[in-house]
């Protein structure tokens, strides 16, 4: 009896695990994290996108702990416009480096 229902249980468990959970994390980023007068830049990681200042960047890949984001991914993740290390909160875009904390 159990063997007849096994394919149904497998399909059901596969369907449940296939449901996409949309992660949403808001970060505040500053040049000087110790300066209370500096207005933070708000960055939102939602699924595979990064939203910064009304601009949405796509996830281009990761190399080690560093994730890369760009408007249009070139196929070379390390050449993307933005790099972000969530473990340390380090956000880089060009010569600009910010320290971020998750809210």
């Amino acid at each position: 009896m159990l063997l007849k229902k096994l394919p149904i249980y497998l399909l059901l468990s596969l369907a449940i695990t296939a449901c996409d959970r949309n992660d949403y994390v808001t970060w505040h980023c500053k040049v000087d994290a110790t300066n209370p007068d500096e207005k933070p830049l708000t960055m939102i990681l939602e699924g595979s996108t990064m939203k910064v200042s009304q601009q949405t960047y796509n996830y281009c890949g990761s190399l080690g702990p560093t994730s890369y984001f760009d408007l249009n991914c070139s196929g070379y993740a390390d050449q993307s416009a933005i790099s972000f290390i969530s473990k340390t909160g380090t956000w880089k875009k060009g010569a600009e480096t910010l320290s971020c904390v998750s809210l």
Side-chain angles (χ1 to χ4, degrees):
M1 183 75 162
L2 181 62
L3 290 176
K4 288 182 179 181
K5 292 186 179 184
L6 185 60
I8 295 170
Y9 291 130
L10 288 174
L11 284 174
L12 182 60
S13 66
L14 183 62
I16 290 171
T17 59
C19 294
D20 184 27
R21 194 183 105 218
N22 195 10
D23 292 331
Y24 182 94
V25 180
T26 302
W27 297 75
H28 275 181
C29 306
K30 294 182 173 185
V31 173
D32 180 5
T34 61
N35 182 357
D37 297 327
E38 181 183 350
K39 184 179 177 190
L41 171 78
T42 300
M43 182 258 292
I44 298 170
L45 290 177
E46 183 176 5
S48 62
T49 61
M50 174 186 281
K51 296 177 183 179
V52 181
S53 304
Q54 305 297 328
Q55 192 69 261
T56 300
Y57 296 90
N58 299 308
Y59 173 74
C60 298
S62 294
L63 295 171
T66 307
S67 296
Y68 296 93
F69 297 84
D70 207 331
L71 295 173
N72 297 304
C73 299
S74 67
Y76 298 98
D78 58 343
Q79 295 177 4
S80 298
I82 297 173
S83 66
F84 181 63
I85 303 172
S86 60
K87 189 171 187 174
T88 62
T90 304
W91 185 92
K92 292 183 182 181
K93 181 178 181 185
E96 183 179 25
T97 301
L98 302 176
S99 296
C100 304
V101 293
S102 63
L103 302 179

